[in-house]
């Protein structure tokens, strides 16, 4: 009975530290008094937010970059290998972890989003079952204190929110003006753009008071690199820009996918584009990718609109009301086609014409060569050049279907408009 009362008193003291200490470090020291071992508080990028007095004496697992302390990369890799990171994200309670050393880990959650975690190192005394309960309480107290100390996102965050929301809501007619405005925030406008949208229901009317949401935005921005974000219609929206053809390359995709899985999130991604004037169409592409994948019961964390173009067209034809945002047809043209046209224009080549003729001739090399009045070897040179330039296989039925669909869109537009190539 006495032991139970002692545990209750310790828990009460930790909860009460929210009022008596009112700081992360103060609360941490109260926790260390009861746990009797070094305590580290880390965010999800393995940066050490703070550490207790005993923990400050141990630098064997820490490296410093730009004034910030992080776990050594070897330790991070070991934690991933033995599924420790997965356990932190998937468990709501503290747990023991045995490797070269014995530790306690416990996630710190805000609005069910893991924003950090507690690590307690067994070095001064051996752990007992009571330590898990105390760590659980410490996690809840840190969740509250973190929200108290981080009520608002930064000024630059607010600026970029207004910029991106303005781009999404208001029809833009002056690209020079918008480009000039974007120079005043920490965002570089490169040749390729992409919209990524993540559905997220926030619990507060003013999302700036939602620490879990703002932390989530910060983590994803760290992954994506050069981007700006906003929160609009229960959706976190990112405008990403760089010089990569895919914008989100394979290595970046893997990091993003891991983060989305760990936090049980989904995202929709638009086709790559290069004109801010079309941003509303591409934003809606990302939303349609999410909606179509859900209606088709595809349980994907990452959903590319380019994989749903034909289904979007089916959906438009079946939609009987006027509440569906209809995307400009030319924004549905695949980036591969756009890339070929731009390459031809710059290098005075005929790759686009060669591909179009090849597809129109039922993928027959001989017939294509005859129609283009070129030697077969010239055709195969162009054929391989197209594959190399686009980094795809023209033997893939899926790739060929995407290309043929884009050509159909361009053909249709030719019959109804006189500005085609310049538009793409």
């Amino acid at each position: 009975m006495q032991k139970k009362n002692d545990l209750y008193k310790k828990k009460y003291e930790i909860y009460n530290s929210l009022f008596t200490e009112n700081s992360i470090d103060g609360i941490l020291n109260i926790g260390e008094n009861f746990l009797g071992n070094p305590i580290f508080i880390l965010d999800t990028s393995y940066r050490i937010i703070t550490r207790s007095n005993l923990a400050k004496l141990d630098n064997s697992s820490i490296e410093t970059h730009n004034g910030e302390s992080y776990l050594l990369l070897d330790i991070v890799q070991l934690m991933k290998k033995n599924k420790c990171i997965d356990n932190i994200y998937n468990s709501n309670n503290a747990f023991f972890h045995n490797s070269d050393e014995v530790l306690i880990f416990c996630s710190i959650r805000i609005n069910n989003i893991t924003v950090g975690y507690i690590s307690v190192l067994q070095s001064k005394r051996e752990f007992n079952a009571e330590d898990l309960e105390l760590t659980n309480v410490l996690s809840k107290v840190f969740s509250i204190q973190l929200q108290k100390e981080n009520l608002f996102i930064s000024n630059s965050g607010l600026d970029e929110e207004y910029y991106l929301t303005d781009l999404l809501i208001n029809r833009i007619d002056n690209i020079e003006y918008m480009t000039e405005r974007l120079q005043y925030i920490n965002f570089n406008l490169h040749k390729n753009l992409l919209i990524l949208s993540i559905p997220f229901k926030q619990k507060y009317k003013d999302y700036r008071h939602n620490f879990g949401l703002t932390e989530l935005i910060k983590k994803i921005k760290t992954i994506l690199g050069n981007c700006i974000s906003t929160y609009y219609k229960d959706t976190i929206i990112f405008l990403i820009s760089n010089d990569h053809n895919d914008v989100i390359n394979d290595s970046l995709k893997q990091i993003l996918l891991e983060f989305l899985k760990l936090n049980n999130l989904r995202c929709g991604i638009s086709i790559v584009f290069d004109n801010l004037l079309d941003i509303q169409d591409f934003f809606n592409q990302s939303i349609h990718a999410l909606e179509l994948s859900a209606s088709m019961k595809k349980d994907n964390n990452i959903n590319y609109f380019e994989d749903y173009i034909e289904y979007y067209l089916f959906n438009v034809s079946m939609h009987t009301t006027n509440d569906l945002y209809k995307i400009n047809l030319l924004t549905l043209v695949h980036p591969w086609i756009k890339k070929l046209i731009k390459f031809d224009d710059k290098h005075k080549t005929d790759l686009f014409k060669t591909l179009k003729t090849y597809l129109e001739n039922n993928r027959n090399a001989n017939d294509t060569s005859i129609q283009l009045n070129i030697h077969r070897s010239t055709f195969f040179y162009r054929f391989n050049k197209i594959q190399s330039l686009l980094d795809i296989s023209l033997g893939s039925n899926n790739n060929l279907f995407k290309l043929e669909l884009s050509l159909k869109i361009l053909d249709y537009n030719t019959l109804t408009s006189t500005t085609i190539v310049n538009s793409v």
Side-chain angles (χ1 to χ4, degrees):
M1 187 66 179
Q2 182 60 41
K3 189 174 182 180
K4 190 173 183 179
N5 286 336
D6 289 344
L7 178 59
Y8 173 81
K9 289 179 181 178
K10 291 176 182 177
K11 289 181 176 180
Y12 172 81
E13 287 295 327
I14 294 175
Y15 275 120
N16 195 49
S17 65
L18 277 168
F19 307 100
T20 59
E21 300 297 330
N22 197 29
S23 72
I24 293 176
D25 288 331
I27 294 168
L28 191 59
N29 290 329
I30 295 291
E32 186 181 72
N33 289 339
F34 295 131
L35 289 167
N37 276 306
I39 307 173
F40 299 81
I41 308 298
L42 302 96
D43 67 17
T44 52
S45 66
Y46 313 108
R47 179 179 67 89
I48 297 171
I49 299 172
T50 188
R51 45 184 168 154
S52 65
N53 290 327
L54 289 175
K56 290 174 182 176
L57 302 176
D58 181 12
N59 293 306
S60 60
S61 304
I62 297 169
E63 58 184 353
T64 302
H65 295 288
N66 298 323
E68 299 284 358
S69 297
Y70 297 86
L71 280 185
L72 287 172
L73 185 58
D74 289 346
I75 294 177
V76 172
Q77 292 172 340
L78 183 62
M79 290 172 68
K80 287 185 176 181
K81 183 178 180 181
N82 57 26
K83 305 297 183 183
C84 179
I85 298 297
D86 290 345
N87 291 336
I88 291 171
Y89 277 86
N90 294 329
S91 175
N92 291 317
N93 297 307
F95 60 90
F96 292 119
H97 177 76
N98 294 285
S99 55
D100 293 338
E101 297 177 295
V102 182
L103 303 105
I104 292 175
F105 286 106
C106 186
S107 63
I108 301 173
R109 296 180 177 232
I110 298 175
N111 295 340
N112 206 32
I113 294 294
T114 299
V115 297
Y117 57 92
I118 300 170
S119 175
V120 188
L121 173 64
Q122 178 180 283
S123 65
K124 299 300 180 181
R125 70 163 178 83
E126 290 189 6
F127 288 139
N128 56 50
E130 178 184 286
D131 293 335
L132 292 179
E133 294 191 52
L134 293 176
T135 306
N136 281 330
V137 174
L138 198 58
S139 168
K140 293 178 174 61
V141 170
F142 274 125
S143 174
I144 296 169
Q145 186 62 31
L146 285 171
Q147 293 178 75
K148 288 169 64 179
E149 293 188 13
N150 295 272
L151 290 177
F152 296 94
I153 59 178
S154 66
N155 288 335
S156 62
L158 281 173
D159 286 344
E160 73 173 46
E161 171 205 340
Y162 294 142
Y163 281 123
L164 185 51
T165 303
D166 194 32
L167 285 167
L168 294 171
I169 295 175
N170 301 312
R171 181 61 68 179
I172 309 163
D173 57 7
N174 190 327
I175 192 68
E176 289 78 16
Y177 171 68
M178 288 308 305
T179 302
E180 185 178 345
R181 285 186 64 192
L182 288 171
Q183 293 175 353
Y184 290 97
I185 58 177
N186 189 25
F187 178 67
N188 297 314
L189 199 60
H190 296 284
K191 66 178 182 180
N192 293 324
L193 301 162
L194 198 70
I195 291 287
L196 184 151
S197 297
I198 299 176
F200 186 86
K201 286 276 187 180
Q202 50 91 10
K203 296 183 179 180
Y204 301 99
K205 289 183 179 180
D206 185 346
Y207 88 89
R208 291 170 295 178
H209 293 270
N210 186 333
F211 179 77
L213 174 57
T214 54
E215 278 300 297
L216 181 60
I217 291 173
K218 289 177 186 176
K219 302 305 178 192
I220 298 175
K221 286 186 68 177
T222 300
I223 294 172
L224 298 177
N226 182 53
C227 65
I228 54 175
S229 63
T230 191
Y231 186 74
Y232 175 63
K233 291 186 176 179
D234 291 330
T235 306
I236 308 170
I237 305 157
F238 297 89
L239 172 63
I240 314 157
S241 182
N242 57 49
D243 290 325
H244 301 302
N245 292 326
D246 297 328
V247 178
I248 298 178
N249 58 32
D250 288 341
S251 60
L252 196 62
K253 179 182 175 181
Q254 283 303 117
I255 298 171
L256 176 64
L257 181 60
E258 179 183 357
F259 183 86
L260 294 172
K261 283 182 176 178
L262 288 171
N263 285 287
N264 194 29
L265 296 169
R266 300 168 60 245
C267 78
I269 298 180
S270 74
I271 291 174
V272 176
F273 64 105
D274 58 9
N275 190 345
L276 273 178
L277 295 177
D278 297 323
I279 191 170
Q280 293 183 9
D281 285 315
F282 291 98
F283 163 62
N284 279 280
Q285 285 185 8
S286 69
I287 299 302
H288 282 302
L290 286 162
E291 293 174 346
L292 288 165
S293 66
S295 64
M296 296 169 65
K297 296 179 171 54
K298 291 181 179 283
D299 189 24
N300 299 327
N301 295 95
I302 298 180
N303 302 277
Y304 288 95
F305 179 73
E306 67 181 64
D307 295 328
Y308 295 93
I309 295 175
E310 63 271 32
Y311 302 107
Y312 162 74
L313 294 172
F314 300 156
N315 189 40
V316 170
S317 68
M318 296 291 290
H319 211 76
T320 56
T321 61
N322 294 322
D323 59 342
L324 183 71
Y325 181 96
K326 293 186 178 180
I327 298 171
N328 184 324
L329 266 182
L330 283 178
T331 68
L332 304 182
V333 175
H334 201 283
W336 294 336
I337 296 291
K338 300 177 184 179
K339 187 172 183 179
L340 283 181
I341 292 174
K342 288 180 179 178
F343 185 88
D344 285 340
D345 184 56
K346 181 177 180 180
H347 299 279
K348 308 304 179 185
T349 53
D350 289 313
L351 298 184
F352 172 70
K353 181 180 179 181
T354 300
L355 176 65
K356 189 172 185 294
T357 306
Y358 174 67
L359 295 176
E360 290 172 345
N361 281 276
N362 298 316
R363 310 171 193 178
N364 184 293
N366 190 54
D367 291 347
T368 303
S369 302
I370 293 172
Q371 184 169 335
L372 290 173
N373 196 27
I374 59 176
H375 196 274
R376 276 173 58 89
S377 61
T378 304
F379 164 76
F380 282 114
Y381 170 80
R382 293 182 185 178
F383 183 87
N384 291 325
K385 179 70 175 178
I386 292 168
Q387 291 189 121
S388 175
L389 180 64
L390 302 182
D391 193 23
I392 63 170
S393 168
L394 291 178
S396 164
N397 285 332
N398 188 46
N399 289 342
L400 290 169
F401 175 77
K402 290 178 180 179
L403 291 166
E404 288 177 324
L405 180 59
S406 289
L407 292 176
K408 293 292 184 184
I409 291 172
L410 287 175
D411 285 343
Y412 176 79
N413 192 74
T414 302
L415 300 173
T416 58
S417 172
T418 57
T419 56
I420 305 158
V421 173
N422 290 337
S423 299
V424 298

